[in-house]
PDB file of all heavy atoms in Angstrom:
ATOM      1  N   GLU A   9      30.183  -2.787  -4.905  1.00  0.00           N
ATOM      2  CA  GLU A   9      30.502  -3.420  -3.615  1.00  0.00           C
ATOM      3  C   GLU A   9      31.979  -3.195  -3.347  1.00  0.00           C
ATOM      4  O   GLU A   9      32.820  -3.539  -4.171  1.00  0.00           O
ATOM      5  CB  GLU A   9      30.169  -4.924  -3.713  1.00  0.00           C
ATOM      6  CG  GLU A   9      30.690  -5.778  -2.571  1.00  0.00           C
ATOM      7  CD  GLU A   9      30.107  -5.386  -1.224  1.00  0.00           C
ATOM      8  OE1 GLU A   9      28.921  -5.664  -0.991  1.00  0.00           O
ATOM      9  OE2 GLU A   9      30.849  -4.792  -0.406  1.00  0.00           O
ATOM     10  N   ASP A  10      32.286  -2.573  -2.187  1.00  0.00           N
ATOM     11  CA  ASP A  10      33.687  -2.251  -1.908  1.00  0.00           C
ATOM     12  C   ASP A  10      34.444  -3.392  -1.241  1.00  0.00           C
ATOM     13  O   ASP A  10      35.665  -3.372  -1.188  1.00  0.00           O
ATOM     14  CB  ASP A  10      33.792  -0.984  -1.049  1.00  0.00           C
ATOM     15  CG  ASP A  10      33.040  -1.106   0.265  1.00  0.00           C
ATOM     16  OD1 ASP A  10      31.872  -1.557   0.225  1.00  0.00           O
ATOM     17  OD2 ASP A  10      33.602  -0.777   1.310  1.00  0.00           O
ATOM     18  N   GLU A  11      33.727  -4.397  -0.720  1.00  0.00           N
ATOM     19  CA  GLU A  11      34.439  -5.512  -0.090  1.00  0.00           C
ATOM     20  C   GLU A  11      34.759  -6.552  -1.156  1.00  0.00           C
ATOM     21  O   GLU A  11      33.875  -7.245  -1.657  1.00  0.00           O
ATOM     22  CB  GLU A  11      33.577  -6.143   1.006  1.00  0.00           C
ATOM     23  CG  GLU A  11      33.434  -5.243   2.215  1.00  0.00           C
ATOM     24  CD  GLU A  11      32.213  -5.610   3.061  1.00  0.00           C
ATOM     25  OE1 GLU A  11      32.216  -6.711   3.626  1.00  0.00           O
ATOM     26  OE2 GLU A  11      31.270  -4.811   3.110  1.00  0.00           O
ATOM     27  N   ASP A  53      25.581  -2.354  -2.944  1.00  0.00           N
ATOM     28  CA  ASP A  53      25.895  -2.322  -1.514  1.00  0.00           C
ATOM     29  C   ASP A  53      25.369  -1.015  -0.914  1.00  0.00           C
ATOM     30  O   ASP A  53      25.202  -0.027  -1.628  1.00  0.00           O
ATOM     31  CB  ASP A  53      27.423  -2.406  -1.379  1.00  0.00           C
ATOM     32  CG  ASP A  53      27.896  -2.443   0.059  1.00  0.00           C
ATOM     33  OD1 ASP A  53      27.149  -2.906   0.943  1.00  0.00           O
ATOM     34  OD2 ASP A  53      29.053  -2.016   0.293  1.00  0.00           O
ATOM     35  N   MET A  55      26.689   0.524   2.314  1.00  0.00           N
ATOM     36  CA  MET A  55      27.782   1.319   2.879  1.00  0.00           C
ATOM     37  C   MET A  55      28.950   1.332   1.918  1.00  0.00           C
ATOM     38  O   MET A  55      29.693   0.350   1.832  1.00  0.00           O
ATOM     39  CB  MET A  55      28.239   0.710   4.206  1.00  0.00           C
ATOM     40  CG  MET A  55      27.174   0.729   5.276  1.00  0.00           C
ATOM     41  SD  MET A  55      27.142   2.302   6.123  1.00  0.00           S
ATOM     42  CE  MET A  55      28.531   2.067   7.247  1.00  0.00           C
TER      43      MET A  55
HETATM   44 CA1   CA B   1      30.375  -1.879   1.994  1.00  0.00          CA
END
Side-chain angles (χ1 to χ4, degrees):
E9 168 62 72
D10 58 313
E11 289 159 66
D53 182 27
M55 296 276 280

